[in-house]
Every structure is written in structure tokens, then in C-alpha cells.
Amino acid sequence: MTRAQTLKFLQDYAVLILIFALMVTLTFLSDSFLTGRNLLNILNQNAPLAIMASAMTLVIISGGFDLSVAAIFAIGSVVSAWIALHINPYLGLALAPFVGLLLGCANGLAITVLKVHSFLATIATALIFKGIAIALSDGRLISVRVDEFTWLGRSKFLGVFNSVWMMTIFAIVLTFLLTRTILGRQILAVGGNEEAAILSGIRTNRVKIATFAIAGFAAGLASIITTSRVALGQASSGEGLELQAIAAVILGGTSIYGGQGAIWRSIAGVFLLALVNNGFNILSADPFYRDLTTGLIILAAVGISAVGQRR
């Protein structure tokens, strides 16, 4: 195997190798790790992040970054809880993802119309969205302790949490979109070479708006899962999720330069981070070493992506 082939293999499958190695190690170190209850809890707790990372994959493949998804998550949390409390619980759950969709479209329009880099534009919109979430909630917690609202985040279907089913379905839909549709091919083309995509007749601005709209919808969807689970809407929800989602996508081997990536690898990246956190919690290890380990893994993934891009 040549060096280039080795790099390509690592970029595609290193995350699976690391997951396998971690699972074997933690199984030997703790009897409580490899249990159905623990593994199901890991899936349940990280399903919202996996949903967001799946959509973030499309944004990064198209050559962008979205740092506003955590703020959209916060708005989704507040909106769903407020509507559930004052109007109807089911309506609160149904509307929040579409609020996220509209905010994602606003991101896309800001980037394409104002010709601002997505990194800078979404930093600005994140501040705006966060302020809106605080204003809507008046800085208070919105408690919604009714079964019609909490069933989504707490109930199970066939012994598996609803959140895990939603994550699976969402990932399958996005995988189909990326690999089997015209929009998916256009997303890959825009990220690979935007100028060539324009010359080939692709409306690149529409493609970018679509990816940010999907990311906003995913943040809203993730927010209703978490909000219904804790039965609280709050403007502080989702803090740091945008960086975790980006880290998971990069760990999954999606190029930070755009043009290539896969949904399943981003989800694997989420659960690699989850296994690191779970392992350190089970072993009661110093959190400093957890952050150090996570940082080193992410740095290695970025290095592999950068070397692969240069080649």
C-alpha cells in the first residue's frame, strides 16, 4: 500500500479503528462498560449531537462552517417549551425544527447575499440568535412537565429510545440525499471546486443556502429531543454543541477544505468522542486528561485531512 493509499485509508476508517480499540480497552478496564444499558445510554445521550453533526457534514463538504447551530438549538428549546406551555405540547415539538429551518435559511442568505465568509457570518448570527433566545425566555427556565411533551425524549419504541430512532432515520435520509440525489452531487461539486461548479451551471448560492437550512432544521430537531427529555426550555441550552459537531465531522474524516465526506463517518466521530467521555467517567479519571486526549485525537484528524488535501 502506497503512502497516499495509507493516508486515504486512515482518513476514511481511522475513526472505526479508534472506536474498536477504545471499546476493547474499556471492556477490559471496567465490567460496567460493555453492558446493554450503558451502550444504549451512550446512544441516547448523544443522539441530538449526532443529528447536528450529520447536517454539519453537508455544510463542511460544501466548503462552509456553521457556528450558529448551538444558538439555533437554544431558540428551538425556548420556542418549543413556550408553545408547549401556552398553546399545545405537540405543536411545540412540531414547530421548533421549522423555526430552525428558517434561521438556517437566514444564515445562508447572509452568506450568499452579503458575500461574507460563513465562519464570520455565523459568529454574528449566533450572537443574534442567542440574544433572541434570551429575550423570548426572559432569561428564565420554562418548565413543561406534561407527558404529551416529554414522551419524545424519554419514551422507547421496541426497547430503543425515540431519540435513537430519530437519529437513525435522519442519518439515512441525509445519506440518501448526499449520495443519490442531484443536490448531493452539487454539494460535493461546490465544495470540491466552486468556480468549476459555477461554470458547469450549478447555482452555488442555492446549494449553500440549502446546506445551512438543513443544519438549522437539524439543530431544531435536536433541541426538541433534549428539551422534552429534561422538560425544560432554556436559553443556555446547547452551549458548545457547535464545536463538538464540527469536531465529530472532522474526526469522521470529512475534509475541512470541502468536497468530500460521509454522514456515517461523522456519526462515528460523535460516538468516538462519546466513548472517550464515557470511559473517563467510568474510570473516574481526571477530566484534564479527558480534554487532553480529545484534543490530541482531533489534532491528529485535522493533520491527516491537511496532508491528504496537499497530496
Side-chain angles (χ1 to χ4, degrees):
M1 185 180 289
T2 65
R3 184 180 177 185
Q5 290 173 326
T6 302
L7 283 172
K8 182 70 170 91
F9 178 82
L10 288 175
Q11 192 170 4
D12 290 345
Y13 299 107
V15 63
L16 294 182
I17 296 170
L18 287 172
I19 287 175
F20 177 77
L22 264 176
M23 291 188 71
V24 171
T25 302
L26 292 173
T27 299
F28 279 108
L29 292 177
S30 173
D31 293 334
S32 60
F33 170 74
L34 198 63
T35 62
R37 181 177 181 180
N38 184 52
L39 295 178
L40 190 59
N41 283 336
I42 292 174
L43 287 172
N44 181 43
Q45 291 166 8
N46 290 278
L49 177 59
I51 289 172
M52 294 171 69
S54 297
M56 184 69 75
T57 306
L58 302 183
V59 174
I60 293 179
I61 287 175
S62 70
F65 282 93
D66 191 346
L67 296 177
S68 71
V69 289
I72 294 175
F73 184 102
I75 288 183
S77 175
V78 170
V79 167
S80 63
W82 190 92
I83 293 175
L85 187 63
H86 294 94
I87 303 176
N88 182 277
Y90 294 110
L91 187 63
L93 294 174
L95 285 183
F98 293 98
V99 171
L101 178 71
L102 291 175
L103 297 177
C105 287
N107 276 336
L109 289 170
I111 292 160
T112 55
V113 173
L114 301 178
K115 305 297 182 184
V116 181
H117 191 281
S118 59
F119 188 88
L120 299 175
T122 55
I123 287 177
T125 56
L127 295 173
I128 295 169
F129 297 158
K130 195 69 172 180
I132 292 173
I134 293 171
L136 289 174
S137 64
D138 197 25
R140 301 176 181 175
L141 302 179
I142 304 175
S143 178
V144 190
R145 300 186 181 279
V146 293
D147 292 341
E148 292 84 354
F149 187 77
T150 58
W151 67 270
L152 182 64
R154 298 180 180 180
S155 299
K156 296 180 181 180
F157 177 69
L158 299 178
V160 178
F161 286 103
N162 292 331
S163 59
V164 179
W165 288 113
M166 292 180 69
M167 174 198 71
T168 304
I169 293 169
F170 190 74
I172 290 172
V173 170
L174 288 196
T175 299
F176 179 83
L177 184 150
L178 183 62
T179 60
R180 295 288 185 270
T181 68
I182 293 174
L183 177 60
R185 290 192 290 272
Q186 290 177 340
I187 290 171
L188 291 165
V190 170
N193 190 325
E194 186 172 353
E195 291 183 5
I198 293 172
L199 292 174
S200 66
I202 295 174
R203 297 181 177 181
T204 57
N205 285 349
R206 290 189 180 183
V207 173
K208 291 178 182 178
I209 292 171
T211 60
F212 282 94
I214 293 169
F217 181 87
L221 183 63
S223 74
I224 61 173
I225 293 172
T226 301
T227 305
S228 65
R229 181 187 301 159
V230 299
L232 283 175
Q234 48 190 324
S236 61
S237 293
E239 289 185 355
L241 284 181
E242 72 280 24
L243 298 180
Q244 292 181 50
I246 292 172
V249 174
I250 293 171
L251 278 177
T254 295
S255 173
I256 57 175
Y257 303 98
Q260 58 179 312
I263 304 298
W264 71 265
R265 293 207 302 265
S266 297
I267 293 177
V270 169
F271 291 107
L272 175 59
L273 294 175
L275 286 176
V276 171
N277 289 331
N278 184 254
F280 275 88
N281 289 336
I282 287 176
L283 300 175
S284 300
D286 191 328
F288 166 77
Y289 294 106
R290 177 191 62 197
D291 295 338
L292 177 64
T293 302
T294 303
L296 289 173
I297 292 173
I298 294 171
L299 186 61
V302 172
I304 292 172
S305 177
V307 172
Q309 178 68 19
R310 287 198 295 270
R311 293 190 66 85

